[in-house]
Amino acid sequence: MAPPKHVLALVLLLFSATDACHQPPKTLHIPVVHRNAVFPPPPDANRGSLVTNRRRFPAADTALMMSRLHSPVMSGLPFESGEYFASIGVGTPSTSTLLVIDTGSDLVWLQCKPCRHCYGQMSPFYDPRRSSTYRQIPCSSPQCPLLQGCDNSTGGCGYTMVYGDGSASSGNLATDRLVFSNDTSVYNITIGCGHDNEGLFDSSAGLLGVGRGAASFASQVAPSYGRYFAYCLGDRTSNARSSSSYLVFGRTPELPYTAFTPLLSNPRRRNLYYVNMAGFSVGGERVTAGFSNSSLSLDTASGRGGVVVDSGTSISRLPRDAYGALRDAFDARAAAAGMRRLAEDISVFDACYDMRGAAMASVPGIVLHFAGGADMALPPENYFIPEDSRNGRFYCLALEATDDGLSVLGNVQQQGFRVVLDVEKERVGFAPKAC
């Protein structure tokens, strides 16, 4: 993806969160089901390939701006998407929607009738005129002119989201009820009601922003559930009608083998979850040559660098020198194991192999190292993925180089790990095989 070229203009008008949750239960479950269980893929769907590889962060400048809530999550792969989705009801009566779970942005928004311009989505369009709990944030609000101002087409306070891949949504800000599993409801959640939307959202109705900013869903429910949530993204290729993926808000018992690393803050991008990646190992050996550890570090003065944990981006991105060092180390060990590298790239991947006649056990292991001694030992399916767009069994190293000063730990590499985002204790946890 090209570096972000647009600037996000985001109006975030939040009401008091003290009544955001109406009589919150001791546990609040947000079901997350596999996408196939709702919309089976076509018979000829290519299940092994990440056809799309989104960069879902808002444009760079925008980042300047107890009980439990648990939700099932579904993979977007059957729809040629690398993202995961939560099934959530909106309004009263509720309209079932599929929202991309995005730790890299804040606003909760969805496509709304009437549409000036809307892309195709798999779930019904939300019509705020039919919801008795929908409340548009008025232009008369004192905060509105201080932010983006009045949207004359809707008569309310407006918003515009522009993302790094050129996707966009604009409309008016409002509050409404969100409904999760077991008819558990959360009231007065600020949402963006998008009447003009375009881009690569892959049939979802919109985004469930769970970043660190004040407008995110995680922040809005924090008075009831705390500044703590966890998720687990299960097998993206599974056909199972039940899903092992989930999203849970509120502190839960921690698995004893969870490895924690400090959560860092970037004063220039306050809504993102930063961690300090200290390096990586390939084939059981630490890679030390060919790159500088400083390229992975966050420079808080300039706001550049650092590694962001992002559920809305599929493939992890590393600085070009770090990626090159990891790829070359992987390729050297793959060659020694008899794996034949292809001469050409496949899609966005530049290290692909013909695995016909080769054992998957020969694939070199990869471990990501984080500050504080936290390690992520990735299973092969988290970094060595099939590309079946051609005849044969071709697999690619599912990582990319980036030159824009921001590295990403994407959801393919997070697959199967319980990821804990503990803002209260300023730490991020990883627990393998925990879905």
Side-chain angles (χ1 to χ4, degrees):
M1 287 291 178
K5 296 181 179 179
H6 301 284
V7 175
L8 161 70
L10 170 59
V11 178
L12 300 177
L13 180 61
L14 299 178
F15 290 94
S16 170
T18 56
D19 65 343
C21 301
H22 179 69
Q23 296 180 342
K26 185 176 181 180
T27 60
L28 184 54
H29 183 152
I30 310 171
V32 180
V33 296
H34 195 282
R35 193 168 184 172
N36 286 4
V38 184
F39 304 112
D44 59 348
N46 179 5
R47 310 173 62 78
S49 175
L50 285 174
V51 177
T52 55
N53 183 20
R54 303 289 177 253
R55 177 70 175 274
R56 191 60 75 207
F57 294 127
D61 292 350
T62 66
L64 296 172
M65 317 185 27
M66 312 214 186
S67 35
R68 289 183 292 159
L69 177 63
H70 180 243
S71 174
V73 175
M74 65 181 68
S75 167
L77 188 65
F79 298 96
E80 299 188 340
S81 167
E83 296 158 333
Y84 286 78
F85 302 83
S87 178
I88 296 175
V90 181
T92 306
S94 66
T95 299
S96 180
T97 64
L98 296 176
L99 301 180
V100 174
I101 301 167
D102 192 5
T103 60
S105 64
D106 289 342
L107 186 65
V108 180
W109 68 263
L110 69 161
Q111 298 196 110
C112 291
K113 292 183 177 180
C115 282
R116 293 191 293 268
H117 182 269
C118 288
Y119 57 85
Q121 67 179 55
M122 298 301 295
S123 55
F125 283 92
Y126 167 65
D127 189 344
R129 297 167 296 189
R130 297 185 178 181
S131 174
S132 63
T133 47
Y134 176 86
R135 299 290 184 271
Q136 184 167 285
I137 296 175
C139 291
S140 59
S141 168
Q143 292 96 330
C144 197
L146 300 177
L147 298 170
Q148 181 171 324
C150 184
D151 181 350
N152 293 324
S153 65
T154 64
C157 201
Y159 78 94
T160 297
M161 294 286 291
V162 180
Y163 296 89
D165 62 4
S167 302
S169 175
S170 64
N172 60 278
L173 288 176
T175 61
D176 208 339
R177 178 182 74 136
L178 301 188
V179 185
F180 305 100
S181 65
N182 301 324
D183 293 326
T184 299
S185 298
V186 183
Y187 288 82
N188 298 327
I189 294 296
T190 298
I191 63 172
C193 198
H195 301 287
D196 193 345
N197 317 284
E198 60 182 342
L200 306 173
F201 293 105
D202 304 305
S203 303
S204 68
L207 266 65
L208 181 70
V210 290
R212 297 179 70 177
S216 81
F217 181 74
S219 296
Q220 292 192 66
V221 299
S224 295
Y225 303 107
R227 300 280 293 174
Y228 179 106
F229 71 96
Y231 60 88
C232 199
L233 308 177
D235 183 0
R236 65 189 183 281
T237 65
S238 173
N239 268 333
R241 292 187 64 83
S242 61
S243 173
S244 59
S245 304
Y246 58 83
L247 172 66
V248 57
F249 292 87
R251 195 168 292 278
T252 54
E254 291 169 355
L255 298 174
Y257 51 89
T258 303
F260 285 98
T261 188
L263 172 63
L264 307 180
S265 297
N266 185 346
R268 295 181 180 272
R269 289 188 164 186
R270 298 181 183 278
N271 65 325
L272 301 179
Y273 300 97
Y274 281 86
V275 291
N276 181 5
M277 184 182 290
F280 38 81
S281 296
V282 176
E285 296 183 11
R286 188 76 172 243
V287 178
T288 58
F291 77 104
S292 170
N293 282 333
S294 62
S295 65
L296 294 167
S297 301
L298 172 64
D299 183 345
T300 55
S302 66
R304 290 182 60 82
V307 178
V308 171
V309 178
D310 182 39
S311 64
T313 295
S314 53
I315 301 300
S316 293
R317 294 172 171 85
L318 298 175
R320 187 163 297 278
D321 64 340
Y323 168 74
L326 188 155
R327 178 201 57 207
D328 293 347
F330 180 89
D331 189 56
R333 288 160 178 78
M339 294 167 53
R340 186 174 66 86
R341 181 172 173 178
L342 302 179
E344 67 274 14
D345 301 349
I346 297 181
S347 184
V348 298
F349 305 122
D350 65 358
C352 298
Y353 300 82
D354 186 346
M355 295 299 290
R356 289 175 295 185
M360 292 300 293
S362 62
V363 177
I366 293 180
V367 179
L368 305 180
H369 305 294
F370 297 91
D375 290 340
M376 285 184 74
L378 302 177
E381 60 268 23
N382 283 32
Y383 60 88
F384 198 62
I385 64 175
E387 278 290 340
D388 294 331
S389 57
R390 311 176 182 190
N391 294 328
R393 296 292 291 172
F394 298 155
Y395 282 71
C396 297
L397 180 63
L399 297 166
E400 286 188 88
T402 181
D403 296 308
D404 66 1
L406 179 64
S407 299
V408 181
L409 181 65
N411 62 46
V412 172
Q413 283 65 51
Q414 297 176 44
Q415 182 179 249
F417 284 82
R418 177 182 173 93
V419 180
V420 177
L421 296 173
D422 188 351
V423 178
E424 293 171 3
K425 294 185 179 180
E426 298 183 335
R427 60 182 187 166
V428 175
F430 304 104
K433 300 178 181 180
C435 286

